[in-house]
Amino acid sequence: MEFQAFNLHPVIAASIKEAGYVTPTPIQQQAIPTVMQGRDVMGLAQTGTGKTAAFALPILNRLMEGPRGRVRALIVAPTRELAEQIHESFGTLGRQTRLKSVTVYGGVNANPQIQSLKNGVEIVVACPGRLLDHIGQGTIDLSHLEVLVLDEADQMFDMGFLPDIRRILSHIPAKRQTLLFSATMPPVINKLAHDILTDPVTVQVGNTAPPVTVSHALYPVEQHLKTGLLLELLQHTDTESVLIFTRTKHRAKRLGEQLEKAGYKAASLQGNLSQNRRQAALDGFRDGTYQILVATDIAARGIDVSQISHVINYDIPDTPEAYVHRIGRTGRAAKSGDAFTMVCNEDTIMVRTIEKKLGAPLERRTVAGFDYTVPAPKKDAEFARPPREPRPTRKPAVAKKSSVGSINPFKSDHPGSKPAGRPQQGRPAAAGGTPKPVFNSSRRGK
Ligand code: AMP
């Protein structure tokens, strides 16, 4: 099947060609004709399957006809990164359509958003919090809305956005086309779908299994040896672009610093960063300035770097769904990728749950030459670090007073996030003896 079969508007067909898409992905084959018919759709697809174009193409096609300068399509997404990525896809696929899209999310000045909305746009890609602010302040007019897309609905639920979604729904026309995409279908999303979709067609790809192009491996290791093992893995693996996941923001920040100290071009992406710094980390990862990005699940949501060669779970995720999401970052759109997960004894149950979900056992690997017998340092066994020489004692630093009570202009769009700029405990990163990175760009399987 080819894209011509959809009979899309010629300027859209031209952009598809320019984007280098030749064959529609399975979700696109199923969803595009259905959305073009005006039907509501329940899309069960993980990230990396081409689901953005599956809704963006028929929306662009629809908007070619009819009035301009009013909001006719609204896409709601859980994170700013995903919103930006969707906005970019609309930009790429709608390059010659003269349709305009704007992103709306918190953590940045609202005025440019207000100005764009005033100037007239047809497509809004929004995170729930800031969108509600605009609705409340009357700076967005959704009365002409024709299509609503809820993307990554399960993640929006995980992030506590469901009440916001319901509020948004009460402010938009009841007569509309609604598309709901989710990688998983927990009962609460099933109920939401039941409530808001009219006679929906369900389109589904895979069974929330990660892309088949990804090879998985587990690396059993004690908690305190994780960083050492990671450095060893990086040194001996032909990696091009590595996304590393940690359990907490703090661990992401510290691991990013440790990798930098070890000579890698690494950055961390976590919710405590300002929007500018998040964007700089993402852009740097995308353009190759950083070869390693360390991130938490929430921060990494929506990252689309098509050449990610490896995903490394420094910490195992909390759910099998999160595992699938993370692994979906590599092997995107049929590129091959490797996924390594470090596991400790306490992760046994989660490993079993993930294997059950995947329907196959995961390969256990050890790294030859790595000393797995190094004992844990007495303190701070939680964060892995090779034992180091004691440092000369210093005067304790005087803690600076932080300014409290002022309005934080970088208020996040994530309900669970804390204000930025909390002072970190300044611990030194991994001590010497760290290997030099060996990045080989001639990776197989590209
Ligand atoms: P998504 O699942 O929407 O995040 O898309 C994953 C990646 O696949 C993005 O980099 C898209 O640009 C790319 N992609 C989407 N559709 C196609 C296609 N039909 N052919 C090749 N690449 C595609």
Side-chain angles (χ1 to χ4, degrees), residues 3 21 23-25 28 47-53 85 304 306 332-333:
F3 276 101
Y21 298 179
T23 316
T25 64
Q28 290 164 0
T47 187
T49 54
K51 71 179 160 63
T52 314
Q85 190 188 309
D304 174 21
S306 37
R332 290 173 80 84

